[in-house]
Amino acid sequence: MQVTVNKILDAKGLACPMPIVKTKKEMTALDPGQVMEIQATDKGSTADLRAWADSTGNQYLGTIEEGDVLKHYLRKASAEEEKSESKHPDVANLEELLNRLNGSEKITILDVREPAEYAFGHIPGSINIPLGELEERFEELSNDAEDLHIICRTGSRSDFAAQKLTEKGFKNVKNVEPGMKDWHGPIDKTH
């Protein structure tokens, strides 16, 4: 399959949120309707870029795998298609989450990182559903969960997940920022 692209962005070797950060910056240089190819090696970049495109009105066209490189294709939205990037309004910081865990409050923690990230350290008792699988697996979560705290590495993927779950009717959904990269609470490394 041959895809005509107007811009190629090299995001190989970068971890979340950098592929999206670079994509946002480079997308501004494109004209509406033009296509950008983003080359990445971060497995989570597929779900991240798809969610970002959805939240901004840009079109995620698809991803082609070539060895270890993922080639993502995005089409820039026209002014009519574009929407301002939305953020989930209900946010919790790491200290709040740690205090809730140390208290006797009943909360649910959803970790939307990839399985390998989760395996190398996660909050004890958290549920792992990668962002890219959330659409097919959201029913594994209780819709009447007391408080649903969503976490990833930086707060980007969890923001997209929080928006999706709120759209699905989940209540009391909180995006945890900045994420596991700055977490100093208990860590479970069992697989």
Side-chain angles (χ1 to χ4, degrees), residues 96 99-107 147:
E96 290 172 286
N99 289 340
R100 305 269 323 258
L101 282 172
N102 290 334
S104 58
E105 298 177 62
K106 183 176 177 349
I107 62 171
D147 271 312

Side-chain angles (χ1 to χ4, degrees), residues 100 105-109 145-149 172 174:
R100 305 269 323 258
E105 298 177 62
K106 183 176 177 349
I107 62 171
T108 301
I109 301 170
E146 288 296 314
D147 271 312
L148 185 55
H149 286 68
N172 300 317
K174 291 179 178 51

Side-chain angles (χ1 to χ4, degrees), residues 9 17-29 36 49 52 56 74 85 87 156 160:
L9 172 64
M18 291 314 296
I20 286 182
V21 170
K22 288 186 123 213
T23 299
K24 285 181 192 179
K25 184 178 178 207
E26 295 298 322
M27 195 64 107
T28 61
M36 181 175 4
L49 287 166
W52 176 78
T56 58
L74 298 180
E85 187 174 356
K87 296 285 266 174
S156 262
F160 295 133

Side-chain angles (χ1 to χ4, degrees), residues 88 90-101 105-112 123 125-128 141-142 145-152 158-159 161-162 165 170-177 180 183:
H88 186 70
D90 203 354
V91 177
N93 65 40
L94 294 173
E95 187 178 327
E96 290 172 286
L97 178 58
L98 188 56
N99 289 340
R100 305 269 323 258
L101 282 172
E105 298 177 62
K106 183 176 177 349
I107 62 171
T108 301
I109 301 170
L110 172 63
D111 189 322
V112 294
I123 297 171
S126 61
I127 301 164
N128 181 227
L141 300 167
S142 173
E146 288 296 314
D147 271 312
L148 185 55
H149 286 68
I150 305 176
I151 196 163
C152 66
S158 54
D159 181 72
L165 290 171
F170 284 82
K171 306 283 185 242
N172 300 317
V173 177
K174 291 179 178 51
N175 178 29
V176 179
E177 290 183 345
M180 289 301 292
W183 177 251

